[in-house]
């Protein structure tokens, strides 16, 4: 009787690709590249998983500190998403210029960029949330 098996090397490659991350070319509303590239890790990467745990803890602490523990704040879902994406973002190039000021890469600056420009956040979210974005070839 022959031994049967399932080769999981493709899944191993996917996991490795998510850890390494991808670079997203940011486009404008017409689909034209604006010259900014943003690096992000995949949904199953250690960095993304850690980001989700950290943001959950951060928002739980904020909720506990509020006087009212009732309904979450209206913008909380967006703020959580932005916080997670910022932690999962590895770099950008070149540094963007906003209102005449060059903005260097930092987690705080990424949060600010994703808050100010939903068009950029949406592109990063769409790629970062899909495992297929991290398949090679």
């Amino acid at each position: 009787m022959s031994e049967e098996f399932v080769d999981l090397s493709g899944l191993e490659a996917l996991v490795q690709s998510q850890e390494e991350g991808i670079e997203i070319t940011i486009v404008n509303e017409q689909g034209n590249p604006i010259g900014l590239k943003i690096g992000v890790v995949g949904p199953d990467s250690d960095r993304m998983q850690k980001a989700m745990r950290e943001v959950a803890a951060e928002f739980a602490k904020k909720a506990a500190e509020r006087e009212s523990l009732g309904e979450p704040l209206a913008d909380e879902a967006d703020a959580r998403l932005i916080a997670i994406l910022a932690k999962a973002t590895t770099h950008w190039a070149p540094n963007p210029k906003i209102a005449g000021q060059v903005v260097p890469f930092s987690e705080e600056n990424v949060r600010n960029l994703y808050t100010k420009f939903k068009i950029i956040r949406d592109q990063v979210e769409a790629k970062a949330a899909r495992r297929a974005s991290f398949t090679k070839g």
Side-chain angles (χ1 to χ4, degrees):
M1 176 152 91
S2 69
E3 216 176 300
E4 291 188 37
F5 64 90
V6 175
D7 185 0
L8 299 179
S9 57
L11 294 180
E12 284 179 326
L14 175 62
V15 169
Q16 182 61 35
S17 178
Q18 288 188 59
E19 293 293 343
E20 292 168 5
I22 57 171
E23 199 167 68
I24 302 163
T25 299
I26 302 301
V27 297
N28 64 17
E29 73 283 0
Q30 297 162 339
N32 299 319
I34 63 169
L36 178 64
K37 293 183 182 213
I38 297 179
V40 67
V41 295
D44 300 326
S45 68
D46 289 341
R47 183 173 177 152
M48 182 70 82
Q49 296 298 309
K50 181 180 179 198
M52 289 189 283
R53 288 189 303 273
E54 287 176 355
V55 170
E58 173 188 330
F59 278 80
K61 182 179 178 193
K62 285 179 184 177
E65 291 169 354
R66 284 198 304 262
E67 287 183 27
S68 168
L69 297 179
E71 290 297 313
L73 301 175
D75 295 334
E76 193 170 289
D78 270 355
R80 281 177 180 250
L81 173 62
I82 288 167
I84 291 168
L85 288 175
K87 289 179 178 297
T89 298
T90 59
H91 67 278
W92 61 33
N95 286 332
K97 189 183 274 191
I98 302 172
Q101 299 282 29
V102 174
V103 181
F105 180 82
S106 71
E107 184 179 319
E108 180 182 356
N109 287 342
V110 174
R111 279 191 192 207
N112 292 337
L113 183 83
Y114 293 166
T115 299
K116 184 174 179 77
F117 299 105
K118 190 171 185 314
I119 189 172
I120 295 175
R121 175 184 10 136
D122 287 350
Q123 292 173 62
V124 173
E125 178 190 8
K127 292 284 189 177
R130 291 183 175 84
R131 290 176 182 94
S133 300
F134 296 86
T135 57
K136 305 283 186 194

